Amino acid sequence: MLPAAAAVLALASALAACSNASPDPAAGGDDRGAITFATGKDTSGNLQKQVDTWNAAHPNEKVTIVELPASADDQLKQLQQNAQVKSDAYSVLGLDVVWTAQFAANRWIDEIPASTDTSGLLTSAIESAKYRGTLYAVPWQTNGGLLFYRTDLLTAAGITTAPATWAQMQDACAKVKALPQGKDVSCYAGQFDKYEGLVVNFAEAVQSAGGRVFDEQGNPTVDAPQAKAALTWLVSAFNDGTIPKAAITYKEEDGRKAFQDGTLVFLRQWPYVWDLANKTDGSSKVAGKFAVAALPGLNGPGSSTLGGLNLAVSSFGKNKATARDFITYLTGEEAQRANLLATSTAPTRTSLYADAALQKQFPYLPYLQKSLESAVARPKAVHYGDVSAAIQNAIAPVIAGDTDAATALTALQANLKQLTAQ
């Protein structure tokens, strides 16, 4: 971890570099001044600290954070409404990786100048910020799903390694269940409520069974045997108790709290849980008692869905030179290092994954980098919201036991073909 003085000095250097950057008028204007940053709620308080550092160094180019609603769906709606009326209320936009294509296609965000240095950023993250081969945003945070697991319970059950397959995970849970301390602990949970998390978890299950929801050309492939095997496993896992019934309403925070309360052996989650579950303030019963591994799959290690946030310049905002420089600042190595240290949020800078000091503090970094390297992006669909809704509407009734996997996937295949043909 950087000493406080060194961290401040490094951030100041990054800020100075931003101030000296030459504006590119072709990228949407070279005006400077106060700007706003529209993004999801800053639960850690660290983003405000980083903005405060910027503002202290740029008194004439101050940034104000505009917090969007907690729900990702509501965030998207608010950003869309702002763009549709061409409002200048937002300058820099924090976009989920799956929103970039829609905002670019509608010309709601500017192209990123060709002179922008993207070397040192994860390839998968860079690709998520492109639309039709052109960069429209800069990767700020990335995300890959990980398997959080109780090391204390597995050790007590005589298990020394994390499961690589679904069958191994279920076998491990059976052994834990036989222990006195494991009788009231459920096996596994992810995010299965009817929202974007269900899309992510379904896609990961399909990928982890050797299939894809969409192939590399963007064509839906949910009628393939691998997708049916994946959905069938999810249904059986709910039916046999591998996944507790309560998890059908789990979003990220529900699963995190269940794991921290000690009621789960395994949890599919994003890296941010590491810091929270390790707190020793009494909020977590599993601090120091868990580790992370790659997601399990049907026949071997599974595959994560790529998550994360990209930063883009609103086409309708003012002071775009300041906006571009602020993006450079937030996505720089030192700002990302500080963000990782404060929040355990996955960085997009490859150098941070190889940093020995960071690896010591965050042992999951090698697993996370491996997860990100094999992570599969969701489709770059202009109407991604409709694609997501179609998947949610098809999969939710199946895991609830209201329809069968084969029927739902056949109908979903036809629906996705129609949506992606638009």
Side-chain angles (χ1 to χ4, degrees):
M1 181 173 178
L2 286 177
V8 171
L9 195 58
L11 284 174
S13 298
L15 291 172
C18 290
S19 294
N20 295 329
S22 298
D24 184 350
D30 58 359
D31 292 343
R32 294 186 175 278
I35 62 170
T36 56
F37 176 26
T39 187
K41 185 174 178 60
D42 174 27
T43 57
S44 69
N46 186 63
L47 176 58
Q48 186 61 61
K49 290 179 182 177
Q50 293 188 317
V51 168
D52 289 344
T53 301
W54 167 277
N55 288 343
H58 299 79
N60 297 320
E61 299 178 78
K62 288 190 173 181
V63 176
T64 300
I65 298 173
V66 178
E67 288 192 344
L68 299 172
S71 163
D73 292 343
D74 290 339
Q75 289 177 21
L76 177 58
K77 287 178 184 176
Q78 189 163 316
L79 290 171
Q80 287 173 328
Q81 290 167 357
N82 182 81
Q84 286 163 352
V85 298
K86 300 183 178 181
S87 169
D88 63 1
Y90 305 153
S91 310
V92 175
L93 310 180
L95 300 177
D96 188 293
V97 291
V98 296
W99 302 341
T100 307
Q102 179 185 9
F103 279 70
N106 284 288
R107 300 185 183 277
W108 293 340
I109 53 177
D110 289 348
E111 292 183 20
I112 296 298
S115 58
T116 302
D117 182 11
T118 58
S119 62
L121 293 170
L122 289 164
T123 301
S124 58
I126 284 289
E127 289 304 310
S128 77
K130 291 181 179 179
Y131 176 65
R132 293 186 175 177
T134 298
L135 195 67
Y136 279 89
V138 181
W140 176 36
Q141 300 172 7
T142 190
N143 238 347
L146 295 169
L147 183 71
F148 286 73
Y149 67 96
R150 291 280 300 277
T151 51
D152 59 331
L153 293 179
L154 263 61
T155 299
I159 301 168
T160 57
T161 58
T165 67
W166 295 331
Q168 289 173 2
M169 182 174 69
Q170 290 172 305
D171 181 63
C173 286
K175 292 178 179 177
V176 168
K177 200 77 174 174
L179 300 171
Q181 63 268 46
K183 62 180 181 179
D184 296 323
V185 181
S186 296
C187 182
Y188 170 79
Q191 295 77 49
F192 300 108
D193 199 4
K194 191 179 176 184
Y195 78 119
E196 185 63 21
L198 177 60
V199 178
V200 169
N201 279 250
F202 168 66
E204 287 177 344
V206 174
Q207 293 154 203
S208 299
R212 293 283 182 93
V213 175
F214 289 84
D215 63 21
E216 293 182 357
Q217 288 71 47
N219 302 309
T221 54
V222 293
D223 58 349
Q226 296 91 335
K228 184 179 179 182
L231 187 51
T232 299
W233 182 81
L234 285 175
V235 171
S236 66
F238 271 102
N239 289 339
D240 65 21
T242 297
I243 304 175
K245 295 295 184 184
I248 203 165
T249 62
Y250 277 9
K251 295 182 179 180
E252 278 83 359
E253 286 296 274
D254 304 298
R256 175 182 71 82
K257 290 173 183 175
F259 186 74
Q260 287 184 200
D261 287 342
T263 66
L264 291 171
V265 182
F266 298 101
L267 174 68
R268 178 264 171 230
Q269 255 289 14
W270 305 109
Y272 84 97
V273 170
W274 177 271
D275 182 62
L276 294 171
N278 265 318
K279 287 191 177 300
T280 56
D281 59 1
S283 61
S284 176
K285 295 179 180 179
V286 299
K289 300 177 182 179
F290 68 92
V292 299
L295 296 175
L298 179 60
N299 299 310
S303 166
S304 170
T305 296
L306 185 70
L309 286 172
N310 298 328
L311 300 183
V313 177
S314 168
S315 295
F316 316 109
K318 298 175 182 177
N319 302 320
K320 294 186 178 182
T322 298
R324 293 194 298 273
D325 284 355
F326 179 66
I327 289 175
T328 299
Y329 160 61
L330 274 191
T331 58
E333 181 173 326
E334 293 310 319
Q336 289 204 28
R337 178 189 296 273
N339 202 38
L340 171 60
L341 289 169
T343 68
S344 72
T345 300
T348 57
R349 293 280 169 187
T350 56
S351 58
L352 298 178
Y353 290 88
D355 186 292
L358 291 175
Q359 286 184 357
K360 185 176 180 179
Q361 185 164 347
F362 304 102
Y364 64 81
L365 283 177
Y367 294 104
L368 177 58
Q369 185 173 17
K370 190 172 183 180
S371 171
L372 293 169
E373 288 171 350
S374 62
V376 178
R378 283 160 285 176
K380 295 181 180 180
V382 174
H383 303 286
Y384 180 77
D386 294 335
V387 170
S388 176
I391 295 173
Q392 294 173 41
N393 291 335
I395 304 306
V398 180
I399 63 174
D402 296 332
T403 189
D404 66 281
T407 300
L409 292 176
T410 298
L412 179 59
Q413 175 73 10
N415 198 358
L416 293 178
K417 270 190 174 182
Q418 183 177 9
L419 288 172
T420 54
Q422 295 177 5

